[in-house]
Amino acid sequence: MSALARIPRGVWALGFVSLCMDLSSELIHALLPLYMAVGLGASTLTIGIVEGIAEATALIVKVFSGVISDFFRRRKPLVVLGYGLAAFTKLVFPLAPTLGWIVTARFADRVGKGIRGAPRDALIADLSPPDVRGASFGLRQALDTVGGVGGPLLAIGAMALFASDFQAAFWVAVVPAFLAVALLVVGVEEPRKPAQTVATSP
């Protein structure tokens, strides 16, 4: 049996969750700087500061979320919280009346990314038998990359379809974001024991 065939269903689900959320996030990220500059009159300096601090925030939060998931030995609630927060921020982008709303949503989205990152990876490790753990991480990353490439392409298609209407294109991003959360809730079950523990039990 191939390594892919032995990868647990929950890992496949997490991979498609990453794909869907990346489709949504990268669609918005591809258009957001231009929208902030052209639609809301933000300076290039403002855009750079917002993007830099938002990404730094995600990295800092990731450290604490990993520690919390280890302390409580529960991964899925934090993963759902992170993806759920990111999904709800997608509703703000097409509705935001001012730059302040956009900035707030951008930070909340990155906080969501920081919350989910480490617990999601730990959950993959818990779900995966030792002999396919590398393949499991590789699968998740591969599907994440598909979403990362597909997001900007989806942005181009949405802008062409809606005649360069930013708000309409942002609405497109809402669909895969909430699909990701639904797939996570329904398709991923946290194991009672990590796969490594199960594999080494007598």
Side-chain angles (χ1 to χ4, degrees), residues 24 26-41 47 90-96 102 154-174:
S24 175
E26 294 304 325
L27 185 159
I28 289 178
H29 297 167
L31 300 177
L32 194 58
L34 185 60
Y35 176 62
M36 292 170 68
V38 175
L40 300 174
I47 295 170
K90 302 304 188 291
L91 294 170
V92 177
F93 293 103
L95 296 172
I102 293 289
L154 188 59
I156 293 171
M159 290 295 279
L161 179 63
F162 297 114
S164 299
D165 185 331
F166 285 98
Q167 281 81 7
F170 289 154
W171 278 117
V172 174
V174 173

Side-chain angles (χ1 to χ4, degrees), residues 16-118:
F16 282 104
V17 167
S18 289
L19 188 156
C20 290
M21 189 57 76
D22 252 32
L23 278 175
S24 175
S25 295
E26 294 304 325
L27 185 159
I28 289 178
H29 297 167
L31 300 177
L32 194 58
L34 185 60
Y35 176 62
M36 292 170 68
V38 175
L40 300 174
S43 68
T44 54
L45 177 61
T46 299
I47 295 170
I49 291 173
V50 168
E51 292 297 311
I53 296 177
E55 293 301 329
T57 300
L59 295 174
I60 294 170
V61 173
K62 182 183 293 187
V63 174
F64 294 101
S65 67
V67 172
I68 292 171
S69 74
D70 281 342
F71 181 79
F72 290 104
R73 288 294 171 184
R74 296 292 305 278
R75 320 292 191 188
K76 185 175 176 179
L78 284 171
V79 179
V80 172
L81 175 62
Y83 277 106
L85 180 59
F88 277 103
T89 64
K90 302 304 188 291
L91 294 170
V92 177
F93 293 103
L95 296 172
T98 64
L99 180 61
W101 281 88
I102 293 289
V103 172
T104 301
R106 184 75 173 95
F107 279 109
D109 175 65
R110 295 298 86 184
V111 169
K113 180 177 181 179
I115 290 173
R116 69 182 183 253

